[in-house]
Amino acid sequence: MFAVLRNRAYRRLFTAQVVALIGTGLATVALGLLAYDIAGADAGSVLGTALAVKMVAYVAIAPAVGAVADRLPRRALMVGADLTRAAVALLLPFVDQVWQVYVLIFLLQAASATFTPTFQAVIPDVLPAERDYTRALSLSRLAYDLESLFSPALAAALLSLITYNWLFLGTVFGFVASAALVVSAVLPTAVVAATPRTGGVYARTGTGARLFLSVPELRALLALDLAVAAAGAMVTVNSVVYVRDQFGRSAADVSLALGAYGAGSMVVALLLPRVLDRVPDRTVMLRGALLLTGVFVALGVVTGAGGGSWRWPALLVCWAAFGAACSMVLTPTGRLIRRAAPPQRRTSVFAAQFSLSHGCWLLTYPLAGWLGAAAGLRSAVLALGALALAAGLLAVRLWPAPSAPPVEHEHADLPAGHPHLSDATRVRGGWRHSHHPLLDGLHVPG
């Protein structure tokens, strides 16, 4: 899996992603402490609102980025986003009003909504071979999971030596380093190729979403994102409630529970490259989504039990299983988008997926929190489990199994190295290959 790091451009881009993630993790810890300094006992409501602001920024900004991405060099978009995030992080230590926190968080997350889909769209051009791209997706998933474990530990170690305000400087360093690495990476010409203008920015804002929703596999992906959001919200929002209130354990065990979720995700991310060489994406992703329902059933048993020392290790197993199932869905996502979108539309489709998937989180975060607080954890498990089941079954219905035999055909209009031609043979006048007649942005229904 790590062989793809031999590619110099990808190695620098991946390192940029890692250092930016670490910077973001440090900012998350520091932001919690800053909210407590400003709001005291109301710090939880401040952070909850900040989380909602983050999701609104993701949902609103990403489609606009997709609308202008084909007119701007992607390197400039990523570097500009990194420098914006660095500037915002530099201002955060000087904040003394709650409204200022919300404004800066919106700007920070708007920049992230610019950087992330643009970064995701660049990687398929840097690694055109599907085998290499699959391994890059697993590395990316691994980076996210390791950051969730490493950043809090690093922040705790630094806080033993410095005050939390200095953590924001670590965030600034992470984003500046990310920008420098992006500048130093040599990107393929195709990554920054422009396409003909087809309307104003407003008219083109929904282009990525329309293409996203026109492809059966991607419509199914939206349902899968909803299933993942249901499980992820349960873990993120209610881990502290389970650990502290249900089991009466220490605050340190909250980190252990979240670590179990990350560990399950990492194990699957490490195994998936070899699995996806033999098993179709559809099989892996749909089974991952349906596995979430089984984990919700097990969590319901743990939640409803009156007592017993077995419940704590059982919760850790549930959290690890949630992480594994979510990774089964999330890791191959880029492969679907890469096949479905023509290269010149790829950024807008990644932006649409980024926006729509975070719209799912915007629904499930408050559902997990408010329902758990008002009606109890059992009600939250039942509601989110039912949502995950419905989303999983909808994905099965929307994503048809390839029943027709592969169709052999030729392409005379695609350049050598195009991702669609990863299994093609050169023939006179073009390339010949075969695949099931699924929509993929290059073919239309027969």
Side-chain angles (χ1 to χ4, degrees):
M1 182 171 70
F2 296 97
V4 293
L5 293 174
R6 296 172 186 165
N7 182 303
R8 184 178 180 183
Y10 174 70
R11 183 171 65 249
R12 295 192 177 191
L13 291 173
F14 177 72
T15 306
Q17 180 190 24
V18 170
V19 297
L21 282 173
I22 293 173
T24 302
L26 294 178
T28 301
V29 175
L31 186 62
L33 297 171
L34 173 64
Y36 185 80
D37 271 359
I38 295 174
D42 293 329
S45 65
V46 172
L47 289 175
T49 305
L51 186 62
V53 168
K54 169 184 174 179
M55 291 300 164
V56 169
Y58 282 176
V59 172
I61 299 299
V65 172
V68 301
D70 61 342
R71 312 307 307 170
L72 298 172
R74 293 178 184 176
R75 188 201 307 275
L77 277 176
M78 291 189 288
V79 171
D82 270 336
L83 295 181
T84 300
R85 295 193 289 185
V88 170
L90 197 59
L91 291 175
L92 279 170
F94 303 102
V95 165
D96 58 6
Q97 299 291 326
V98 170
W99 69 267
Q100 295 170 346
V101 173
Y102 298 152
V103 171
L104 291 179
I105 289 300
F106 183 85
L107 292 175
L108 181 69
Q109 302 307 335
S112 294
T114 300
F115 180 92
T116 303
T118 308
F119 175 88
Q120 291 173 329
V122 165
I123 301 305
D125 291 320
V126 174
L127 298 172
E130 184 163 285
R131 180 182 176 87
D132 291 339
Y133 181 55
T134 301
R135 279 143 183 79
L137 291 175
S138 291
L139 276 178
S140 182
R141 184 78 252 150
L142 199 61
Y144 277 106
D145 293 329
L146 285 174
E147 181 276 325
S148 68
L149 300 176
F150 176 73
S151 290
L154 177 60
L158 291 174
L159 287 172
S160 66
L161 303 173
I162 57 177
T163 62
Y164 75 83
N165 280 334
W166 291 98
L167 293 183
F168 288 117
L169 285 183
T171 301
V172 173
F173 172 79
F175 291 139
V176 171
S178 174
L181 286 162
V182 171
V183 168
S184 69
V186 179
L187 304 182
T189 303
V191 172
V192 295
T195 56
R197 190 182 294 271
T198 58
V201 171
Y202 180 80
R204 288 183 285 128
T205 296
T207 299
R210 286 192 293 272
L211 180 56
F212 191 92
L213 296 175
S214 70
V215 181
E217 302 98 298
L218 298 187
R219 290 200 297 268
L221 176 59
L222 181 56
L224 294 173
D225 284 333
L226 182 58
V228 167
M234 194 70 202
V235 172
T236 303
V237 174
N238 288 319
S239 285
V240 65
V241 182
Y242 273 104
V243 174
R244 301 289 282 162
D245 289 349
Q246 286 279 303
F247 302 149
R249 301 185 71 89
S250 68
D253 286 334
V254 177
S255 298
L256 184 59
L258 295 174
Y261 177 86
S265 179
M266 284 188 290
V267 168
V268 169
L270 287 169
L271 295 176
L272 269 185
R274 292 187 178 181
V275 173
L276 291 172
D277 285 342
R278 303 186 303 272
V279 181
D281 295 341
R282 182 182 186 275
T283 301
V284 171
M285 297 175 74
L286 292 181
R287 287 183 180 178
L290 295 177
L291 175 60
L292 290 173
T293 302
V295 181
F296 268 113
V297 171
L299 181 60
V301 173
V302 173
T303 307
S309 58
W310 61 271
R311 292 197 303 157
W312 169 238
L315 180 76
L316 295 181
V317 172
C318 287
W319 262 216
F322 269 143
C326 288
S327 190
M328 289 172 68
V329 175
L330 294 175
T331 303
T333 292
R335 287 163 53 106
L336 262 66
I337 297 175
R338 177 176 178 263
R339 295 186 193 124
Q344 67 270 22
R345 296 297 184 197
R346 199 172 282 150
T347 302
S348 63
V349 177
F350 270 109
Q353 198 274 335
F354 187 84
S355 175
L356 293 170
S357 64
H358 282 91
C360 296
W361 287 91
L362 191 58
L363 169 67
T364 56
Y365 268 141
L367 184 61
W370 296 340
L371 193 58
L377 287 175
R378 262 188 283 190
S379 296
V381 171
L382 180 62
L384 289 169
L387 183 61
L389 175 60
L393 293 177
L394 179 61
V396 172
R397 182 176 180 83
L398 290 174
W399 192 344
S403 55
V407 176
E408 188 170 282
H409 58 283
E410 294 183 10
H411 289 281
D413 57 341
L414 297 179
H418 189 282
H420 188 72
L421 305 176
S422 59
D423 60 346
T425 302
R426 183 183 287 277
V427 295
R428 184 178 180 87
W431 301 83
R432 176 178 292 276
H433 71 158
S434 63
H435 59 75
H436 293 283
L438 299 176
L439 287 171
D440 62 2
L442 291 169
H443 302 86
V444 295

